[in-house]
Amino acid sequence: MGNTMTKEELIAKLKIIVQPYIQDEDAFNNLSEHTDFINDLKINSANLVDVVLDVEDEFDIRIENDDMEKMISVKAAMDIVIEKLAAK
Amino acid sequence: MIGNDIVDLKHATTGGNWECPRFLEKVFTKKEEALIFASENQHQTVWLLWSMKEAAYKLHVQKFKKRFFNPTRLECELISEDKGIVKIDDNEYFTASTLTEDYVYTIAKQNNTQEVYTSVFETKKEDYKIQSDLLKERFLKAISKTKGLTFHALKIEKTAIGIPQVFYASKQLSISFSLTHCGRFSGFAY
């Protein structure tokens, strides 16, 4: 996927990943980097594990539990993906 | 303070595929995995431990007001089939669970003597908004009855980090409570 992915492309990819698990359509349609997975999208925590696994698969990275700890918003997920891709 | 969590055991979207090793790794400690694989009903044990962690987490967040997502940090111990302890950092929470064919429901408390009023009910409609509104209504009706407060003056609002709080005529009440729903089931505890 190269290292030229823009912020918008990254958000677009995350949006596709979270779609099956969201329970609030309005928040999903307005998804931005400030969107919270739990409070806005109402993703339940079991499905949040699925989101993390899907992010690992999509970007071919490993997210340790210490990194996962912060992954409760689009912004936090973006930061982790960018950090992991840079370390590859 | 109190936390609760319900899991509909037959709900299609009840969390990913727990049989996937990567899922287990992100959720359970090695000790908990051993408990799961040694149990007769593994599906039930997975969601029993999960609901213990969730209920304890909800209590913990009320207490420390800081969110995180790392289920392995909450370590479960089973004392009996339905009673347990969940440890996180230096905190211990006591859990009591109800296990049926349809659901697992857990309440987490700070000590064993804490009195709790709780209710679990089934809803036909699975729409998130409808369920969430119904759950709040049922909870507020219970509060109204047990505390002798006018139902229409009661309201729930969430804090910036998503902790629900109950207000009576715009004044915050010091009632710790927890709401949960999954699939067909909802529950509240206070």
Side-chain angles (χ1 to χ4, degrees), chain B residues 156-174:
Chain B
I156 292 174
E157 266 172 40
K158 282 187 176 176
T159 65
I161 63 162
I163 301 170
Q165 292 177 325
V166 61
F167 291 83
Y168 185 66
S170 318
K171 268 212 187 90
Q172 196 195 327
L173 300 178
S174 60

Side-chain angles (χ1 to χ4, degrees), chain A residues 1 3 6 8-10 13 19 33-34 37-38 42 50-51 57 65 68 74 76 78 80 85 87:
Chain A
M1 71 197 65
N3 47 17
T6 64
E8 286 69 29
E9 285 167 339
L10 181 49
K13 283 191 175 189
Q19 186 164 25
E33 61 182 303
H34 306 293
F37 288 145
I38 298 163
K42 320 281 188 215
D50 296 321
V51 168
D57 292 338
N65 290 355
M68 182 174 79
V74 172
M78 289 169 68
I80 289 161
L85 287 178

Side-chain angles (χ1 to χ4, degrees), chain B residues 26-137:
Chain B
K26 290 196 160 27
V27 174
F28 298 110
T29 64
K30 289 286 160 224
K31 236 169 110 182
E32 290 160 356
E33 273 188 34
L35 274 178
I36 292 164
F37 290 121
S39 67
E40 265 176 45
N41 186 343
Q42 298 187 356
H43 182 67
Q44 193 184 57
T45 308
V46 162
W47 297 113
L48 167 64
L49 296 176
W50 174 276
S51 73
M52 286 168 65
K53 284 170 189 259
E54 277 281 312
Y57 172 79
K58 285 187 185 169
L59 197 168
H60 191 75
V61 170
Q62 287 173 49
K63 204 168 155 187
F64 293 97
K65 315 233 172 347
K66 199 171 176 330
R67 297 195 299 154
F68 62 90
F69 184 62
N70 184 357
T72 56
R73 261 182 73 196
L74 297 129
E75 295 173 53
C76 298
E77 261 175 54
L78 284 173
I79 300 167
S80 66
E81 235 171 76
D82 56 354
K83 299 257 185 317
I85 294 174
V86 180
K87 290 181 186 167
I88 169 156
D89 305 330
D90 294 329
N91 303 278
E92 273 193 353
Y93 303 117
F94 298 87
T95 62
S97 306
T98 309
L99 299 126
T100 76
E101 266 184 33
D102 291 306
Y103 65 80
V104 177
Y105 177 61
T106 300
I107 291 177
K109 306 191 280 187
Q110 285 179 288
N111 59 63
N112 272 326
T113 52
Q114 194 177 332
E115 270 193 56
V116 177
Y117 183 93
T118 186
S119 171
V120 169
F121 57 94
E122 190 174 341
T123 37
K124 294 278 175 281
K125 292 243 164 61
E126 288 201 7
D127 178 80
Y128 183 90
K129 186 84 178 71
I130 295 173
Q131 274 209 353
S132 166
D133 289 345
L134 184 67
L135 174 58
K136 284 179 193 160
E137 187 187 313

Side-chain angles (χ1 to χ4, degrees), chain A residues 13 19 36 45-46 64 67 70:
Chain A
K13 283 191 175 189
Q19 186 164 25
D36 191 282
S45 5
E64 302 304 326
D67 297 316
K70 294 166 269 165

